[in-house]
Amino acid sequence: MLRSSLRSAGRLTAALRQTCHQSVCGSVPAASQCVLREFSTNSHDIFNVHKHNPDNNWETPFDFTDDNYEIAAEIVAQFPTNYKASAMIPILDLAQKQNKGWLSLSAMNKVAEVLNVPPIRVYEVATFYTMFNRSKMGKYHVMVCGTTPCMLQGAREIYQTLKQHLGVDYGQTTADGMYTLSEMECMGSCVNAPMIAVADYSGPDARSFKYTYYEDLTAQDAVSIMEDLKAGKTPRVGSQHREKAEPAGAIIDGKWVAKAEGQTTLTWDQPPGPYCRDLTDPPKPPEQAEVKK
């Protein structure tokens, strides 16, 4: 009975794959790469299952550099000797940084070896957390925030503009290996929405890894950042239109709209109160209650 059920499930899955492939890829131009995403863990890992390829198989070499072995030793030393596995996430992150932004099968096996755990334990963690990439990445991993505040402020337009400018969709890498485009959920900078984050794997070692926020973006701002990165320039970090997160304006209909001088609240109006005392003034002594005789 069980074998029969498994065979039926297998036939159904194959039929669904064929149907999805025809419906998703049938309208894709021949010059484009047709990618079937099934059971995807995030926007840049195409499949949930490992598939051997020339860049990722049992024989693909990977070993930590001497410098990264020292870093790994420092990380592991923070945990009790019988809980080395607790260092798995930071050691995986170290391996990903050394491997130019992704975890090959050999990299995960090396992490298992360093932590003295079965490889399956490493695979479980690497396939669960979306910050770990198991597909080969571009030099710059460009992540567009897709959470509600950014969506309301124009994230869809930024995505469409980057898709057209780079010639790739979410989960794909440009032909020159420069950019991988992905969607990412909340980056925690909602007051400066919309925004993108860029993971920079172009450095010579793990210590040179950079993770940069670019906020208050118009679609043209996003394109300019891509062009600057490609030219080896350093784009402005953080908000593209204000100093920090002060209420100086907002992206409205794809354009930066500055507030009038003197307006200091998110509602652009004077708040009704009650107001806090000037914190530079000493507090008033508490009033003494009358004592009845």
Side-chain angles (χ1 to χ4, degrees):
M1 175 67 77
L2 178 59
R3 290 182 179 179
S4 177
S5 298
L6 289 175
R7 290 194 188 99
S8 298
R11 287 193 293 269
L12 177 60
T13 301
L16 287 172
R17 286 178 180 173
Q18 184 177 3
T19 302
C20 291
H21 191 281
Q22 292 173 347
S23 61
V24 173
C25 303
S27 59
V28 177
S32 301
Q33 180 182 5
C34 178
V35 177
L36 172 61
R37 299 227 185 117
E38 51 183 15
F39 312 111
S40 179
T41 54
N42 49 39
S43 61
H44 47 269
D45 271 335
I46 304 302
F47 293 109
N48 242 345
V49 295
H50 171 75
K51 294 188 176 183
H52 280 328
N53 61 60
D55 296 317
N56 190 9
N57 56 67
W58 293 116
E59 307 301 326
T60 306
F62 179 88
D63 197 2
F64 285 114
T65 63
D66 292 341
D67 185 41
N68 284 344
Y69 268 119
E70 292 181 8
I71 297 175
E74 293 171 3
I75 295 172
V76 172
Q78 300 177 35
F79 301 93
T81 54
N82 58 330
Y83 284 99
K84 289 175 65 175
S86 298
M88 189 175 298
I89 287 179
I91 299 296
L92 276 170
D93 182 54
L94 181 64
Q96 177 164 283
K97 290 174 181 176
Q98 177 179 317
N99 203 41
K100 299 300 182 183
W102 67 292
L103 292 170
S104 63
L105 184 63
S106 298
M108 291 187 284
N109 290 341
K110 177 57 66 174
V111 171
E113 180 184 325
V114 168
L115 298 179
N116 194 27
V117 298
I120 185 61
R121 299 304 180 199
V122 179
Y123 305 158
E124 290 169 344
V125 174
T127 56
F128 181 82
Y129 292 101
T130 58
M131 69 180 190
F132 294 126
N133 310 315
R134 291 174 297 104
S135 305
K136 196 171 183 178
M137 307 297 290
K139 186 176 179 180
Y140 298 104
H141 185 190
V142 181
M143 292 159 278
V144 181
C145 182
T147 308
T148 305
C150 283
M151 282 292 186
L152 292 174
Q153 290 297 98
R156 287 188 180 91
E157 182 182 357
I158 291 174
Y159 155 62
Q160 292 292 344
T161 301
L162 287 176
K163 175 182 175 182
Q164 181 177 5
H165 178 72
L166 300 177
V168 294
D169 205 339
Y170 283 158
Q172 297 177 339
T173 301
T174 56
D176 60 1
M178 184 66 67
Y179 304 103
T180 295
L181 184 62
S182 299
E183 182 180 15
M184 181 178 175
E185 291 309 313
C186 189
M187 299 175 184
S189 190
C190 305
V191 70
N192 288 359
M195 65 165 295
I196 63 174
V198 178
D200 181 356
Y201 298 106
S202 64
D205 52 39
R207 295 184 190 272
S208 61
F209 170 77
K210 297 177 183 177
Y211 191 86
T212 309
Y213 277 15
Y214 301 99
E215 307 157 6
D216 285 322
L217 295 174
T218 65
Q220 184 55 48
D221 290 334
V223 171
S224 297
I225 290 169
M226 298 300 104
E227 291 299 297
D228 284 348
L229 290 172
K230 190 171 185 178
K233 300 178 181 179
T234 303
R236 173 174 172 167
V237 175
S239 174
Q240 304 299 294
H241 299 279
R242 47 183 152 184
E243 293 305 315
K244 295 181 181 176
E246 74 281 8
I251 300 294
I252 300 177
D253 294 330
K255 297 180 180 180
W256 172 257
V257 179
K259 290 173 54 176
E261 189 68 27
Q263 295 177 328
T264 57
T265 71
L266 293 177
T267 60
W268 296 15
D269 296 314
Q270 186 69 14
Y275 301 102
C276 178
R277 67 176 176 85
D278 188 339
L279 297 180
T280 60
D281 295 336
K284 295 180 180 180
E287 297 180 1
Q288 298 292 329
E290 294 184 8
V291 179
K292 293 183 179 181
K293 295 182 180 179

